[in-house]
Structures are given as C-alpha cells and as structure tokens.
Amino acid sequence: RRHGQVFTAKTNRVTSFTLLLSPDFVDFAMPVKVVVNDEVVFDAVVQPDLKFLVTQALEDEDRRLIYAAKIVVEVPRKAAKKK
C-alpha cells in the first residue's frame, strides 16, 4: 500500500522484493519510506536513475507508466521466518 511517500508491505516467507518508483506517484525531492511488517526498512531520498528508466521502459514496453528508480527491499530476518 502507498500513502504519499510511505509504502507499507505485509509479507510472509519473503526475503526481499523490488519496489519500482514512478515520478507520477513519488516526489523524488522528498524522502521515501518503506515499512515491512511494521518495521521501517528504508527512509531516504531516492534519486531518479536514467539508465534504469530506459532499461525498464524497454523491458516493459508500456509507455503509460514510467519507472525512474527502484528500491531493493530486504525483509527483516525475523519477519521473513514462518510464524
């Protein structure tokens, strides 16, 4: 889920995931926060990456939504374990 610059995820048996960021949804001048299983795992300003944007656009072949950056999220170890 996304609320402004905050992305929240609930996971089970997941060790990592990639969050793709679009300038349509994220203000790259402001910090982006990622919360996984109630734990903040990322909180920083993300810089757009032109090389990533071009590569992702060529892979997706979808000109309606452009991703300018990505965050590789490592799920906290205790959250990745089965309860």
Side-chain angles (χ1 to χ4, degrees):
R1 294 182 184 245
R2 179 185 66 86
H3 183 66
Q5 297 282 105
V6 180
F7 294 83
T8 304
K10 297 288 185 185
T11 65
N12 186 18
R13 299 182 185 183
V14 173
T15 57
S16 66
F17 61 90
T18 301
L19 183 61
L20 303 178
L21 303 175
S22 169
D24 291 338
F25 300 106
V26 172
D27 179 351
F28 286 102
M30 303 291 293
V32 173
K33 184 182 285 189
V34 180
V35 180
V36 179
N37 299 332
D38 300 319
E39 186 173 332
V40 176
V41 295
F42 185 89
D43 190 2
V45 173
V46 179
Q47 296 298 319
D49 180 345
L50 182 59
K51 182 178 177 182
F52 172 75
L53 184 149
V54 171
T55 301
Q56 191 67 36
L58 290 171
E59 285 180 17
D60 286 349
E61 296 181 2
D62 183 355
R63 304 298 184 246
R64 293 172 288 152
L65 186 57
I66 300 297
Y67 297 108
K70 70 178 179 179
I71 301 171
V72 177
V73 178
E74 298 295 326
V75 174
R77 189 165 178 86
K78 65 181 179 181
K81 291 181 181 177
K82 181 182 174 186
K83 293 183 177 184

